[in-house]
């Protein structure tokens, strides 16, 4: 089984990208989880699309998503919503319009997020639901909301409780993917 986990942060020391890597480390046996970032994706601009088509970085990401059995979107929380970087990538991935369904329709998708704050990106994840509904994904109902990330997640270290939480959550997601296939 193959899962891709996309971090919505471009920051080199990002907690969300670190969480994507932790997922890769904690993936259940028989599951390859590939952590990805959104570097290289320009701001969506209809003129750019008309002039140059879909950017290479978007086409590559789309290929990764389509080849995977499951998609994890790991969102930071900015002002109670998902960051523009992540929304921008989702918008590009729905272009041209006929690509939306093959990219997202019925795709087994899970939401996660990490923040140094107290609420684990709950608001960003809730806000993302309206977009994911539009995209038509098949959403895993399990929550993974990492609060106080600076205490549990560092570049080369994660605390044991978080490791266990991530590992159980992923096992649930894998089960969810298998049930639907
Ligand atoms: C934040 N941050 C933040 N955190 C939170 O829990 N709720 C929020 O609404 C916000 N709002 C917010 C707005 C903006 C513009 C920034 C830059 C930051 C803090 C945020 O969670 C923190 O910077 C994380 O470290 C961002 O994720 P990465 O880059 O570590 O993955």
């Amino acid at each position: 089984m193959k899962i891709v986990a996309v971090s919505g942060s471009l920051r080199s020391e990002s907690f969300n990208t670190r969480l994507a890597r932790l997922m890769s480390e904690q993936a259940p046996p028989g599951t390859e989880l590939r952590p990805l970032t959104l570097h290289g994706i320009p701001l969506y601009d209809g003129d750019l699309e008309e002039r140059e088509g879909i950017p290479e970085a978007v086409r590559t990401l789309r290929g990764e998503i389509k080849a995977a059995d499951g998609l994890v979107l790991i969102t930071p929380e900015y002002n109670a919503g998902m960051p523009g970087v992540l929304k921008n990538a989702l918008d590009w991935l729905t272009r041209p319009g006929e690509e939306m369904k093959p990219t997202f329709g019925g795709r087994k998708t899970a939401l996660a997020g990490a923040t140094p704050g107290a609420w684990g990106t709950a608001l960003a994840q809730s806000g993302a639901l309206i977009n994911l509904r539009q995209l038509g994904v098949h959403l895993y109902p399990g929550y993974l909301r990492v609060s106080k990330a600076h205490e549990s997640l560092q570049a080369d270290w994660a605390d044991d409780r978080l490791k266990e939480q991530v590992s159980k959550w992923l096992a649930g997601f894998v089960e969810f993917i298998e049930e639907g296939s």
Side-chain angles (χ1 to χ4, degrees), residues 137-160:
V137 303
H138 187 186
L139 189 68
Y140 173 49
Y143 293 114
L144 184 62
R145 295 170 173 170
V146 180
S147 54
K148 304 212 180 307
H150 55 297
E151 292 176 5
S152 57
L153 201 53
Q154 321 251 304
D156 53 359
W157 173 87
D159 83 13
D160 287 342

Side-chain angles (χ1 to χ4, degrees), residues 7 9 11 13-17 76-81 114-119 121:
S7 165
S9 173
R11 214 165 63 85
E13 301 292 314
S14 160
F15 293 116
N16 287 279
T17 304
E77 182 170 284
Y78 283 3
N79 297 310
T115 170
W119 304 109
T121 73

Side-chain angles (χ1 to χ4, degrees), residues 58-78:
V58 176
R59 283 189 280 124
T60 303
L61 178 59
R62 190 200 308 290
E64 295 269 7
I65 292 173
K66 281 184 174 174
D69 303 292
L71 168 66
V72 181
L73 297 173
I74 309 181
T75 183
E77 182 170 284
Y78 283 3

Side-chain angles (χ1 to χ4, degrees), residues 33-106:
L33 189 145
R34 206 163 142 69
L36 300 176
T37 63
L38 298 170
H39 290 89
I41 298 183
L43 284 177
Y44 179 76
D45 173 348
D47 294 339
L48 174 69
E49 182 185 4
E50 207 171 298
R51 212 171 46 241
E52 298 176 22
I54 306 300
E56 174 74 36
V58 176
R59 283 189 280 124
T60 303
L61 178 59
R62 190 200 308 290
E64 295 269 7
I65 292 173
K66 281 184 174 174
D69 303 292
L71 168 66
V72 181
L73 297 173
I74 309 181
T75 183
E77 182 170 284
Y78 283 3
N79 297 310
M82 80 167 88
V85 165
L86 182 54
K87 177 65 164 57
N88 180 63
L90 295 178
D91 292 340
W92 266 121
L93 286 164
T94 62
R95 300 296 302 159
E98 61 268 24
E99 277 291 357
M100 180 160 119
K101 207 167 174 190
T103 305
F104 290 114

